[in-house]
Each structure stands twice: as C-alpha cells, then as structure tokens.
C-alpha cells in the first residue's frame, strides 16, 4: 500500500491525542480507530493496525505506571491469562462477524458505567480492601475475559470498562488506571499476535502512529500520576460520556 503523507500526518496528530487521553482514563480508541478507517483502511485492517499502535502506546503507559508503583502485579497477575485468551478469540472472531453488532450493547454498557460513576460521588477517591468471595472472584474473571474479547473484536472504550471493573473491586482511580494499563496491554498484545498471523496489520501507518503514541502515553501517564483521584474521576466521566455521544451518533445518526 502506498503511503499518503497527508493521511499519515493526520494519523500522527490524532494518535498522539488518543494515546494521551488513553493513558489517563482510557477511551483513546474513540479517536485512533475512526482515524485509521477515515484514511481508507478496511474495518478489520483498521482494527488490526490500531492494535499495533495501541500495543506500543499501552506498553509505554504500563511501564510508566509500573515504575510509579501503581500496577499491582501480584493481585492482577492471575487475571492476565484470561484476558489474553479472550482477546485472542475476539480478534479471530472479527473475520467471522462484523464488529458493528456490538455497538448497541457497548452503548448500553457505557451509559450504565457513566450513570453509576456519576451517582456514586465518592467512588474511587480512596482504595478499599474488599474481601471477595469465590463466586465474586469468578464473576470478575469472566467479566475481565469478556472485556478482553471485546478489545480483540473491536476495542474503543476497553480502558474505561477495565477501570470500571477495577473500581468495583476496590481500587481508587489512580490504581485502577495503572492496573488497567496492564490489562489493556495484555489484550492488545494478544489481538496483535492474532492479527499478525492473519496478515491484517498495515505497518506503513501502524508503526509511525505507534511511535508518536509513545510520547502521548508518557505525557498522559505523568499527567495522571500528578493529579488526585477527584480530577481523575471527572476526566473519566467526561471521556465516558464522549464515548456515549460518539457511539450514539454512529448508531442512530445518518449514514
């Protein structure tokens, strides 16, 4: 595929913005995936190329949060294999079913996430040490695996869903953001591996976009680490509501 310099320049700018926002509270796919589709990539190739760029971006964010001690490797380590497998299956399913079928469900889930977060005003301000029963642990593992599947299958909003589940487990917003980066990196890596084996990744756009997203991820992670949980909550709500508006327009708006 021949490179289009104007398209590449647009992708670099939007990729930087997407990775900055994604490093803070997730939702960067709201910007990066439509941008890749706008330059003419088929949906499956756009999703695959987005996974390449996001793997680089989320890997950078994860390392930044890890160095700051905001990734609890011991607690989340057992969940990572389930997310990895879920994302692998999701990435393979893209070839069988159109990702558009998930849009109505994703819209409903985002509305529930935003509503719950807005109503619980002090939620996520402080970490809570919750003792989970075996049934709840299994339920959370299944939920994380489902989000992993969604990330491999489509992607936008994955970080927000991971953060929401981590908040329900008792993380504060900063811890949830750090742990979510490890989850997101895992799901991105699994999906990327599947898309690479299927030959769907466009390296001409994906690698430069991923390189620029490194800097957005570093700045976004440092921004998050310097802010308190109240600001993180506000940004999370704004980003989730933006996702709702964007996906509602895509689903209900004129084609």
């Amino acid at each position: 595929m021949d490179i289009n310099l104007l398209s590449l320049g647009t992708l670099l700018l939007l990729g930087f913005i997407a990775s900055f926002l994604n490093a803070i509270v997730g939702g960067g796919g709201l910007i990066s995936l439509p941008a890749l589709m706008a330059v003419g990539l088929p949906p499956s190739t756009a999703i695959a190329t987005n996974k390449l760029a996001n793997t680089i971006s989320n890997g950078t964010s994860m390392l930044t949060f890890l160095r700051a001690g905001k990734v609890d490797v011991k607690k989340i380590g057992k969940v990572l294999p389930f997310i990895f497998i879920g994302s692998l299956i999701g990435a393979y399913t893209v070839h069988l079913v159109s990702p558009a079928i998930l849009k109505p469900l994703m819209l409903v889930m985002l509305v529930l996430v935003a509503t719950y977060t807005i109503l619980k005003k002090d939620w996520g301000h402080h970490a809570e040490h919750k003792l989970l029963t075996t049934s709840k642990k299994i339920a959370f593992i299944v939920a994380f695996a489902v989000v992993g599947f969604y990330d491999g299958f489509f992607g936008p909003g994955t970080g927000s869903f991971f953060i929401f589940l981590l908040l329900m487990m008792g993380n504060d917003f900063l811890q949830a953001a750090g742990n979510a980066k490890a989850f997101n990196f895992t799901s991105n890596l699994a999906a990327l591996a599947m898309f690479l084996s299927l030959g769907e990744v466009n390296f001409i756009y994906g690698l430069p976009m991923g390189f620029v997203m490194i800097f957005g991820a570093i700045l976004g992670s440092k921004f998050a680490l310097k802010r308190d949980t109240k600001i993180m909550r506000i940004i999370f709500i704004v980003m989730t509501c933006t996702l709702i508006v964007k996906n509602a327009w895509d689903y209900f708006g004129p084609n």
Side-chain angles (χ1 to χ4, degrees):
M1 181 177 178
D2 295 330
I3 192 167
N4 183 306
L5 293 180
L6 179 60
S7 296
L8 180 61
T10 303
L11 285 177
L12 296 182
L13 175 61
L14 293 177
F16 177 86
I17 296 171
S19 61
F20 178 85
L21 292 173
N22 197 64
I24 301 172
V25 290
L30 171 71
I31 299 170
S32 58
L33 183 56
L36 286 163
M37 295 179 73
V39 301
L41 296 182
S44 59
T45 303
I47 292 171
T49 305
N50 191 47
K51 286 294 174 284
L52 171 61
N54 280 338
T55 299
I56 297 171
S57 173
N58 280 311
T60 304
S61 296
M62 181 186 68
L63 288 174
T64 305
F65 276 98
L66 186 64
R67 287 169 183 160
K70 296 301 179 180
V71 180
D72 196 334
V73 180
K74 289 184 179 179
K75 284 189 177 180
I76 68 173
K78 294 179 181 178
V79 182
L80 297 180
F82 296 96
I83 293 173
F84 189 91
I85 293 170
S87 184
L88 273 179
I89 297 171
Y92 183 76
T93 308
V94 172
H95 287 263
L96 307 176
V97 183
S98 171
I101 67 169
L102 279 187
K103 284 189 176 181
L105 177 60
M106 179 179 65
L107 188 55
V108 171
M109 293 303 297
L110 285 169
V111 170
L112 292 175
V113 166
T115 302
Y116 192 87
T117 307
I118 290 169
L119 292 177
K120 295 203 66 171
K121 299 186 183 299
D122 295 327
W123 197 42
H125 287 180
H126 304 285
E128 300 175 18
H129 299 287
K130 294 184 177 180
L131 293 175
L132 300 177
T133 62
T134 301
S135 59
K136 286 186 177 181
K137 287 180 181 178
I138 293 172
F140 274 116
I141 288 173
V142 171
F144 282 123
V146 169
V147 176
F149 173 89
Y150 167 76
D151 191 31
F153 190 65
F154 190 44
T158 298
S160 300
F161 290 135
F162 277 141
I163 288 174
F164 182 77
L165 289 173
L166 286 161
L167 289 171
M168 291 187 71
M169 292 182 69
N171 286 198
D172 62 34
F173 267 100
L174 198 53
Q175 288 175 325
N179 288 330
K181 292 298 165 288
F183 288 163
N184 227 161
F185 175 71
T186 301
S187 60
N188 283 165
L189 192 63
L192 177 61
M194 179 59 72
F195 285 128
L196 285 172
S197 69
L198 296 171
E200 287 284 358
V201 180
N202 183 303
F203 292 97
I204 293 175
Y205 286 142
L207 285 176
M209 191 178 184
F211 178 74
V212 169
M213 287 173 79
I214 291 175
F215 300 99
I218 292 172
L219 290 176
S221 299
K222 289 185 176 180
F223 177 90
L225 289 167
K226 290 179 181 178
R227 299 303 184 272
D228 62 27
T229 55
K230 291 182 180 180
I231 298 297
M232 293 287 288
R233 178 179 179 273
I234 293 171
I235 297 173
F236 178 77
I237 292 172
V238 170
M239 199 63 200
T240 305
C241 290
T242 305
L243 278 164
I244 291 170
V245 173
K246 171 63 169 61
N247 285 285
W249 176 259
D250 288 347
Y251 189 67
F252 296 109
N255 293 325

